[in-house]
Amino acid sequence: MTAPSITLTRLDVQRLERLIDSLDETLPGVIALQTELDRAETLVGHDEVPADVVTMNSRVHCREESSGKDYHLTLVYPQDANADEGKISILAPVGSALLGLKVGQHIDWPAPGGKTLKLTLLEVESQPVNGGDCAF
């Protein structure tokens, strides 16, 4: 599995750690998210994050390499997830895979059924200006 270096905001890490604390820590999505938080190499303030880095509530354009299919997704907390609107939960495999990525990076991520998704981040279309809303 390819795991590029990632940058996270301190605010996202605090909120996501509270989310993890509120859930069953043995759930696969929770384990994957904790793994991502643990491997973050850079922590910045939400007002210091580069414009090309995926944060919570970012809208992104990415490509799944094996199919060539493009996706426009918004990375959200579980209660805001809505696949029909492209709102992907941070607890979904693709959600935790995208967190902290920088434009141009790609990641191999295990998907249901034993497949491996090869995602390339093409663009961060928007980031929340104040860290975004959160119930956690």
Side-chain angles (χ1 to χ4, degrees), residues 54-74:
V54 180
T55 64
M56 288 305 299
N57 298 301
S58 288
R59 180 149 177 85
V60 303
H61 176 198
C62 58
R63 178 170 296 137
E64 201 284 301
E65 295 299 333
S66 64
S67 68
K69 185 171 180 181
D70 282 13
Y71 295 91
H72 296 269
L73 307 171
T74 303

Side-chain angles (χ1 to χ4, degrees), residues 22-100:
S22 73
L23 299 170
D24 178 349
E25 62 190 39
T26 64
L27 294 172
V30 174
I31 293 168
L33 176 56
Q34 185 64 63
T35 299
E36 291 301 291
L37 296 181
D38 289 345
R39 73 180 191 85
E41 293 188 9
T42 307
L43 289 179
V44 298
H46 68 272
D47 55 344
E48 303 167 319
V49 68
D52 63 350
V53 171
V54 180
T55 64
M56 288 305 299
N57 298 301
S58 288
R59 180 149 177 85
V60 303
H61 176 198
C62 58
R63 178 170 296 137
E64 201 284 301
E65 295 299 333
S66 64
S67 68
K69 185 171 180 181
D70 282 13
Y71 295 91
H72 296 269
L73 307 171
T74 303
L75 186 59
V76 299
Y77 293 92
Q79 71 272 15
D80 298 322
N82 183 327
D84 293 339
E85 296 176 5
K87 294 180 178 179
I88 303 301
S89 171
I90 186 64
L91 296 178
V94 71
S96 55
L98 286 171
L99 183 67

